[in-house]
Amino acid sequence: MIRDLFMPLTGTPGDTPALAAALVLANALPAHLSVVQPFAMPAPTIEPWGMAPDITELYAELRGEARAYSERFRGRLEQEGVSFDLRLAESLFMEAPEVAALQARYADLGVMVAPVNGEPRDRAALRRLFGALLFDSGRPVLAVPPDRPIEWPIRRAMVAWMPTREATRALHDALPLLAHAAAVDVVTVEPERGEFGLGDWPGADIGAHLARHGVRVETMTLPRQDQAIAGVLLRHAAERGAQLLVAGGYGHSRFREWMLGGVTGELLGAAHVPILFAH
Amino acid sequence: MVPKDIVVFLEPGADAARLACAAVLAKRWQAHLIATYVVRPIEGMPYAGYMVGRALEAFLETYTAQVAHDVAEARAVFDRLTERRSFTSEWRVSDNETPDELMLHARHASLAVLGPPAAQRTNDAPLSLSERVLFGSGSPCLLVPDGWRGDTLGRRVAVGWNGSCQATRAIAAAMPFLVEAESVDLVVVPQAEAPGTYGTDPGVSMAGHLSRHGVTVAVDARAGTDAGVVLVERCAELGADLLVMGVVGRARISELLLGGATRTILRQVPIPVLVAA
């Protein structure tokens, strides 16, 4: 059951479509929507003379700006009549994406816009936010396309299946949404068959698992034909008219800096359909 | 979502409590019950590598006979327990499967029921089956202590909340239990060193999230610096029959072992524990 949605404000033009998508879900499920503006306060630095500058005024100003920005969305939220809260979450010691990840822990699903188009700086900010939500929140993330409204009810959803820990989590986390879908495609891309791969009928076992939850499942395998896996998945989603894609999110650790894995990053950057990721 | 398929992992000498717990849950949620019996690998037998000639043959014969006997015995218990029940069930034997194949049993189910990690660790297998499934599968796991004879499971629930990613996942996985529980105590230990971060009011935001799911929850803020000790004590005081908590792993070359604190809790708590990594 999804009863709690979380949407971080990012200060990018993507906030508007993200909010629109979150509101569609909040209305349909129905769920409470927490819209949170995370922001990092600059830490006070000591000047060479040993004097700490008075930054109370600066803080007040920054807070005021953040509040003014978040308040822009209040009208839209009130208009919908959903249960919501709109608040700031500030931190001295953490960056905004980390604050967002902490706040996301109090919800069932985080909603954000996918960095598909727009300014490179905004896209970079969104990728960082996505990384934080995916790896640090413990909750799934729904990345929605910026230029297409989310469709509800879901007629067809698609699960990109690999027998891995991440895909398993994505599937578990997506179950409440998949239960709303009229039909679900479980897709494997050019799987290794047989004893050491996905078995003789890839996706059959996980299909049975979904079916026990009352989901109408079709399992299929797609040829890769030397193309990028993300492209194969997204093209299939377009051809089948899928309104939701579910995928495991992968990363490579490099000290504390997380980098998105290949397919995850490609899916995120080209999302023309809402994609639910979990790690 | 209520679990619709539950897999219980059994190994030679597995306690009956585990299967009984899984059956209780399968009945409660009308879920499909899968028992996966994991055969002890031949490499795990003492002196297996030193056999030659006739001795090897004899050894293999004994091994095969022993395995067949153990499987038959476990199967008989399973059959007795699942006979004429309201839920469907399935028996599997996992013999010499690759680690990934073994994980699939859990990945294709909503919940994995396992034994206590500490008791399973033997000299030849430093990493217990529970730890492998817990860290490798991505599925939520219910660890049932050997000899658990509680009449109830999940009526009075203690939740260890330290603000971490793992605890978040554990709570999400435990939601079907929490919504049906009579009482849920969200135990927070603000003074303890925690991997996660509490907000300004420890536990309040999480309690809000739980109550939006219709869970009746009490925030139980405790003094103390060792969250593990506090948690073990609270479970006893509350008469809890289920503990929900996140577990942290410690890297061991390529696999994960339970972290020290987690292992201590799991060894000391006499009740089933729902965990996520």
Side-chain angles (χ1 to χ4, degrees), chain B residues 8 79 83 91-92 108 110 112 116 134 145 148 159 168 177 186 199 204 207 210 232 249 267 275:
Chain B
V8 50
D79 283 345
E83 210 179 12
W91 173 259
R92 295 179 189 165
H108 294 152
S110 326
L134 181 49
W148 165 252
V159 180
T168 308
F177 286 97
L186 192 68
V204 169
L210 288 174
V232 172
R267 197 174 293 146
V275 285

PDB file of all heavy atoms in Angstrom, chain B residues 8 79 83 91-92 108 110 112 116 134 145 148 159 168 177 186 199 204 207 210 232 249 267 275:
ATOM      1  N   VAL B   8      10.454 -20.717   3.035  1.00  0.00           N
ATOM      2  CA  VAL B   8      11.172 -21.029   4.265  1.00  0.00           C
ATOM      3  C   VAL B   8      12.366 -21.910   3.907  1.00  0.00           C
ATOM      4  O   VAL B   8      12.232 -22.897   3.193  1.00  0.00           O
ATOM      5  CB  VAL B   8      10.238 -21.668   5.321  1.00  0.00           C
ATOM      6  CG1 VAL B   8       9.445 -22.817   4.754  1.00  0.00           C
ATOM      7  CG2 VAL B   8      11.025 -22.126   6.540  1.00  0.00           C
ATOM      8  N   ASP B  79       5.151 -32.389   5.105  1.00  0.00           N
ATOM      9  CA  ASP B  79       3.884 -32.968   4.658  1.00  0.00           C
ATOM     10  C   ASP B  79       2.843 -32.963   5.769  1.00  0.00           C
ATOM     11  O   ASP B  79       1.682 -32.643   5.551  1.00  0.00           O
ATOM     12  CB  ASP B  79       4.105 -34.394   4.155  1.00  0.00           C
ATOM     13  CG  ASP B  79       4.730 -34.402   2.765  1.00  0.00           C
ATOM     14  OD1 ASP B  79       4.701 -33.335   2.119  1.00  0.00           O
ATOM     15  OD2 ASP B  79       5.246 -35.452   2.342  1.00  0.00           O
ATOM     16  N   GLU B  83      -0.620 -30.684   5.343  1.00  0.00           N
ATOM     17  CA  GLU B  83      -1.715 -31.552   4.941  1.00  0.00           C
ATOM     18  C   GLU B  83      -3.045 -30.878   5.223  1.00  0.00           C
ATOM     19  O   GLU B  83      -3.265 -30.365   6.322  1.00  0.00           O
ATOM     20  CB  GLU B  83      -1.613 -32.856   5.744  1.00  0.00           C
ATOM     21  CG  GLU B  83      -2.153 -34.046   5.009  1.00  0.00           C
ATOM     22  CD  GLU B  83      -2.002 -35.303   5.862  1.00  0.00           C
ATOM     23  OE1 GLU B  83      -1.707 -35.162   7.067  1.00  0.00           O
ATOM     24  OE2 GLU B  83      -2.172 -36.378   5.329  1.00  0.00           O
ATOM     25  N   TRP B  91       7.278 -28.066  -2.163  1.00  0.00           N
ATOM     26  CA  TRP B  91       8.510 -28.575  -1.549  1.00  0.00           C
ATOM     27  C   TRP B  91       9.628 -28.529  -2.576  1.00  0.00           C
ATOM     28  O   TRP B  91       9.458 -28.996  -3.694  1.00  0.00           O
ATOM     29  CB  TRP B  91       8.276 -30.001  -1.063  1.00  0.00           C
ATOM     30  CG  TRP B  91       9.504 -30.686  -0.556  1.00  0.00           C
ATOM     31  CD1 TRP B  91      10.259 -31.600  -1.231  1.00  0.00           C
ATOM     32  CD2 TRP B  91      10.115 -30.530   0.723  1.00  0.00           C
ATOM     33  NE1 TRP B  91      11.299 -32.016  -0.454  1.00  0.00           N
ATOM     34  CE2 TRP B  91      11.243 -31.379   0.759  1.00  0.00           C
ATOM     35  CE3 TRP B  91       9.828 -29.741   1.850  1.00  0.00           C
ATOM     36  CZ2 TRP B  91      12.074 -31.465   1.864  1.00  0.00           C
ATOM     37  CZ3 TRP B  91      10.661 -29.839   2.950  1.00  0.00           C
ATOM     38  CH2 TRP B  91      11.777 -30.694   2.963  1.00  0.00           C
ATOM     39  N   ARG B  92      10.752 -27.957  -2.211  1.00  0.00           N
ATOM     40  CA  ARG B  92      11.893 -27.915  -3.115  1.00  0.00           C
ATOM     41  C   ARG B  92      13.131 -28.438  -2.408  1.00  0.00           C
ATOM     42  O   ARG B  92      13.273 -28.224  -1.209  1.00  0.00           O
ATOM     43  CB  ARG B  92      12.187 -26.482  -3.563  1.00  0.00           C
ATOM     44  CG  ARG B  92      11.099 -25.856  -4.395  1.00  0.00           C
ATOM     45  CD  ARG B  92      11.504 -24.442  -4.756  1.00  0.00           C
ATOM     46  NE  ARG B  92      10.398 -23.724  -5.377  1.00  0.00           N
ATOM     47  CZ  ARG B  92      10.386 -22.405  -5.518  1.00  0.00           C
ATOM     48  NH1 ARG B  92      11.386 -21.672  -5.078  1.00  0.00           N
ATOM     49  NH2 ARG B  92       9.355 -21.819  -6.099  1.00  0.00           N
ATOM     50  N   HIS B 108      12.153 -14.670  -5.664  1.00  0.00           N
ATOM     51  CA  HIS B 108      10.853 -14.910  -6.278  1.00  0.00           C
ATOM     52  C   HIS B 108       9.740 -15.015  -5.242  1.00  0.00           C
ATOM     53  O   HIS B 108       8.659 -15.507  -5.546  1.00  0.00           O
ATOM     54  CB  HIS B 108      10.899 -16.184  -7.124  1.00  0.00           C
ATOM     55  CG  HIS B 108      11.804 -16.061  -8.314  1.00  0.00           C
ATOM     56  ND1 HIS B 108      12.445 -17.122  -8.878  1.00  0.00           N
ATOM     57  CD2 HIS B 108      12.182 -14.988  -9.034  1.00  0.00           C
ATOM     58  CE1 HIS B 108      13.185 -16.719  -9.898  1.00  0.00           C
ATOM     59  NE2 HIS B 108      13.040 -15.420 -10.021  1.00  0.00           N
ATOM     60  N   SER B 110       7.827 -13.137  -1.495  1.00  0.00           N
ATOM     61  CA  SER B 110       7.650 -11.867  -0.801  1.00  0.00           C
ATOM     62  C   SER B 110       8.412 -11.829   0.510  1.00  0.00           C
ATOM     63  O   SER B 110       8.737 -10.764   1.006  1.00  0.00           O
ATOM     64  CB  SER B 110       6.182 -11.616  -0.477  1.00  0.00           C
ATOM     65  OG  SER B 110       5.339 -12.126  -1.441  1.00  0.00           O
ATOM     66  N   ALA B 112      11.235 -14.249   3.086  1.00  0.00           N
ATOM     67  CA  ALA B 112      12.029 -15.455   3.327  1.00  0.00           C
ATOM     68  C   ALA B 112      12.087 -15.709   4.819  1.00  0.00           C
ATOM     69  O   ALA B 112      12.344 -14.796   5.596  1.00  0.00           O
ATOM     70  CB  ALA B 112      13.432 -15.288   2.760  1.00  0.00           C
ATOM     71  N   PRO B 116      18.296 -18.760  12.897  1.00  0.00           N
ATOM     72  CA  PRO B 116      19.197 -17.792  13.519  1.00  0.00           C
ATOM     73  C   PRO B 116      20.586 -17.868  12.886  1.00  0.00           C
ATOM     74  O   PRO B 116      21.110 -18.966  12.715  1.00  0.00           O
ATOM     75  CB  PRO B 116      19.245 -18.241  14.978  1.00  0.00           C
ATOM     76  CG  PRO B 116      18.862 -19.673  14.946  1.00  0.00           C
ATOM     77  CD  PRO B 116      17.958 -19.871  13.783  1.00  0.00           C
ATOM     78  N   LEU B 134      20.071 -12.843   3.512  1.00  0.00           N
ATOM     79  CA  LEU B 134      19.759 -11.520   4.040  1.00  0.00           C
ATOM     80  C   LEU B 134      20.439 -10.405   3.234  1.00  0.00           C
ATOM     81  O   LEU B 134      19.823  -9.423   2.866  1.00  0.00           O
ATOM     82  CB  LEU B 134      20.216 -11.483   5.500  1.00  0.00           C
ATOM     83  CG  LEU B 134      20.006 -10.239   6.310  1.00  0.00           C
ATOM     84  CD1 LEU B 134      18.596  -9.765   6.153  1.00  0.00           C
ATOM     85  CD2 LEU B 134      20.272 -10.572   7.757  1.00  0.00           C
ATOM     86  N   PRO B 145      14.183 -17.771  15.872  1.00  0.00           N
ATOM     87  CA  PRO B 145      15.146 -18.466  16.734  1.00  0.00           C
ATOM     88  C   PRO B 145      14.757 -19.930  16.912  1.00  0.00           C
ATOM     89  O   PRO B 145      13.573 -20.258  16.900  1.00  0.00           O
ATOM     90  CB  PRO B 145      15.056 -17.705  18.056  1.00  0.00           C
ATOM     91  CG  PRO B 145      13.766 -16.981  18.019  1.00  0.00           C
ATOM     92  CD  PRO B 145      13.393 -16.765  16.595  1.00  0.00           C
ATOM     93  N   TRP B 148      11.672 -21.471  19.242  1.00  0.00           N
ATOM     94  CA  TRP B 148      10.629 -20.453  19.467  1.00  0.00           C
ATOM     95  C   TRP B 148       9.281 -21.138  19.545  1.00  0.00           C
ATOM     96  O   TRP B 148       8.870 -21.847  18.635  1.00  0.00           O
ATOM     97  CB  TRP B 148      10.665 -19.430  18.330  1.00  0.00           C
ATOM     98  CG  TRP B 148       9.451 -18.558  18.231  1.00  0.00           C
ATOM     99  CD1 TRP B 148       8.492 -18.623  17.264  1.00  0.00           C
ATOM    100  CD2 TRP B 148       9.054 -17.495  19.094  1.00  0.00           C
ATOM    101  NE1 TRP B 148       7.532 -17.670  17.479  1.00  0.00           N
ATOM    102  CE2 TRP B 148       7.846 -16.965  18.595  1.00  0.00           C
ATOM    103  CE3 TRP B 148       9.603 -16.951  20.259  1.00  0.00           C
ATOM    104  CZ2 TRP B 148       7.183 -15.916  19.214  1.00  0.00           C
ATOM    105  CZ3 TRP B 148       8.930 -15.893  20.877  1.00  0.00           C
ATOM    106  CH2 TRP B 148       7.744 -15.397  20.351  1.00  0.00           C
ATOM    107  N   VAL B 159       9.832  -2.064  17.240  1.00  0.00           N
ATOM    108  CA  VAL B 159      10.540  -1.644  16.038  1.00  0.00           C
ATOM    109  C   VAL B 159      11.763  -0.844  16.461  1.00  0.00           C
ATOM    110  O   VAL B 159      11.638   0.136  17.198  1.00  0.00           O
ATOM    111  CB  VAL B 159       9.644  -0.769  15.133  1.00  0.00           C
ATOM    112  CG1 VAL B 159      10.391  -0.348  13.878  1.00  0.00           C
ATOM    113  CG2 VAL B 159       8.368  -1.504  14.759  1.00  0.00           C
ATOM    114  N   THR B 168      14.738   1.768   7.584  1.00  0.00           N
ATOM    115  CA  THR B 168      13.634   2.217   6.736  1.00  0.00           C
ATOM    116  C   THR B 168      13.104   1.052   5.915  1.00  0.00           C
ATOM    117  O   THR B 168      11.895   0.845   5.811  1.00  0.00           O
ATOM    118  CB  THR B 168      14.116   3.330   5.794  1.00  0.00           C
ATOM    119  OG1 THR B 168      14.751   4.342   6.558  1.00  0.00           O
ATOM    120  CG2 THR B 168      12.954   3.945   5.035  1.00  0.00           C
ATOM    121  N   PHE B 177       2.781  -6.751   8.854  1.00  0.00           N
ATOM    122  CA  PHE B 177       2.723  -7.132  10.264  1.00  0.00           C
ATOM    123  C   PHE B 177       2.219  -5.960  11.097  1.00  0.00           C
ATOM    124  O   PHE B 177       1.375  -6.122  11.966  1.00  0.00           O
ATOM    125  CB  PHE B 177       4.117  -7.504  10.788  1.00  0.00           C
ATOM    126  CG  PHE B 177       4.625  -8.838  10.327  1.00  0.00           C
ATOM    127  CD1 PHE B 177       5.469  -8.947   9.243  1.00  0.00           C
ATOM    128  CD2 PHE B 177       4.251  -9.989  10.999  1.00  0.00           C
ATOM    129  CE1 PHE B 177       5.940 -10.179   8.826  1.00  0.00           C
ATOM    130  CE2 PHE B 177       4.724 -11.231  10.600  1.00  0.00           C
ATOM    131  CZ  PHE B 177       5.570 -11.324   9.500  1.00  0.00           C
ATOM    132  N   LEU B 186       7.765   2.036  18.662  1.00  0.00           N
ATOM    133  CA  LEU B 186       8.890   2.515  17.867  1.00  0.00           C
ATOM    134  C   LEU B 186       9.978   2.920  18.863  1.00  0.00           C
ATOM    135  O   LEU B 186       9.910   3.981  19.474  1.00  0.00           O
ATOM    136  CB  LEU B 186       8.434   3.705  17.021  1.00  0.00           C
ATOM    137  CG  LEU B 186       9.373   4.168  15.919  1.00  0.00           C
ATOM    138  CD1 LEU B 186       9.467   3.137  14.819  1.00  0.00           C
ATOM    139  CD2 LEU B 186       8.884   5.485  15.328  1.00  0.00           C
ATOM    140  N   GLY B 199      15.588  13.145  13.068  1.00  0.00           N
ATOM    141  CA  GLY B 199      15.260  14.557  12.887  1.00  0.00           C
ATOM    142  C   GLY B 199      15.336  15.252  14.235  1.00  0.00           C
ATOM    143  O   GLY B 199      15.940  14.747  15.179  1.00  0.00           O
ATOM    144  N   VAL B 204       9.324  10.877  15.627  1.00  0.00           N
ATOM    145  CA  VAL B 204       8.007  11.464  15.394  1.00  0.00           C
ATOM    146  C   VAL B 204       7.614  11.398  13.913  1.00  0.00           C
ATOM    147  O   VAL B 204       6.486  11.023  13.563  1.00  0.00           O
ATOM    148  CB  VAL B 204       7.956  12.919  15.911  1.00  0.00           C
ATOM    149  CG1 VAL B 204       6.696  13.617  15.434  1.00  0.00           C
ATOM    150  CG2 VAL B 204       8.009  12.919  17.427  1.00  0.00           C
ATOM    151  N   ALA B 207       6.761   7.867  13.068  1.00  0.00           N
ATOM    152  CA  ALA B 207       5.463   7.517  13.644  1.00  0.00           C
ATOM    153  C   ALA B 207       4.337   8.097  12.781  1.00  0.00           C
ATOM    154  O   ALA B 207       3.309   7.451  12.571  1.00  0.00           O
ATOM    155  CB  ALA B 207       5.372   8.025  15.068  1.00  0.00           C
ATOM    156  N   LEU B 210       3.927   5.894   9.811  1.00  0.00           N
ATOM    157  CA  LEU B 210       3.249   4.641  10.171  1.00  0.00           C
ATOM    158  C   LEU B 210       1.761   4.870  10.406  1.00  0.00           C
ATOM    159  O   LEU B 210       0.930   4.058  10.006  1.00  0.00           O
ATOM    160  CB  LEU B 210       3.892   4.032  11.414  1.00  0.00           C
ATOM    161  CG  LEU B 210       5.280   3.431  11.202  1.00  0.00           C
ATOM    162  CD1 LEU B 210       5.893   2.995  12.519  1.00  0.00           C
ATOM    163  CD2 LEU B 210       5.201   2.244  10.256  1.00  0.00           C
ATOM    164  N   VAL B 232      17.095  -5.046  23.163  1.00  0.00           N
ATOM    165  CA  VAL B 232      16.912  -6.381  23.741  1.00  0.00           C
ATOM    166  C   VAL B 232      16.072  -6.282  25.017  1.00  0.00           C
ATOM    167  O   VAL B 232      15.140  -7.058  25.241  1.00  0.00           O
ATOM    168  CB  VAL B 232      18.286  -7.026  24.034  1.00  0.00           C
ATOM    169  CG1 VAL B 232      18.107  -8.325  24.814  1.00  0.00           C
ATOM    170  CG2 VAL B 232      19.040  -7.299  22.741  1.00  0.00           C
ATOM    171  N   GLY B 249      25.844  -4.668   7.418  1.00  0.00           N
ATOM    172  CA  GLY B 249      26.820  -5.695   7.103  1.00  0.00           C
ATOM    173  C   GLY B 249      28.228  -5.170   7.225  1.00  0.00           C
ATOM    174  O   GLY B 249      28.474  -3.972   7.282  1.00  0.00           O
ATOM    175  N   ARG B 267      21.700 -12.607  18.590  1.00  0.00           N
ATOM    176  CA  ARG B 267      22.016 -13.741  19.448  1.00  0.00           C
ATOM    177  C   ARG B 267      21.198 -13.683  20.727  1.00  0.00           C
ATOM    178  O   ARG B 267      20.849 -14.686  21.304  1.00  0.00           O
ATOM    179  CB  ARG B 267      23.514 -13.736  19.769  1.00  0.00           C
ATOM    180  CG  ARG B 267      23.996 -15.070  20.306  1.00  0.00           C
ATOM    181  CD  ARG B 267      25.498 -15.082  20.477  1.00  0.00           C
ATOM    182  NE  ARG B 267      26.202 -15.021  19.217  1.00  0.00           N
ATOM    183  CZ  ARG B 267      27.370 -14.396  19.056  1.00  0.00           C
ATOM    184  NH1 ARG B 267      27.911 -13.739  20.058  1.00  0.00           N
ATOM    185  NH2 ARG B 267      27.977 -14.406  17.897  1.00  0.00           N
ATOM    186  N   VAL B 275      14.018  -8.596   9.445  1.00  0.00           N
ATOM    187  CA  VAL B 275      15.159  -7.747   9.126  1.00  0.00           C
ATOM    188  C   VAL B 275      15.215  -7.426   7.645  1.00  0.00           C
ATOM    189  O   VAL B 275      14.672  -8.135   6.805  1.00  0.00           O
ATOM    190  CB  VAL B 275      16.488  -8.420   9.530  1.00  0.00           C
ATOM    191  CG1 VAL B 275      16.686  -8.382  11.010  1.00  0.00           C
ATOM    192  CG2 VAL B 275      16.548  -9.837   9.010  1.00  0.00           C
TER     193      VAL B 275
END
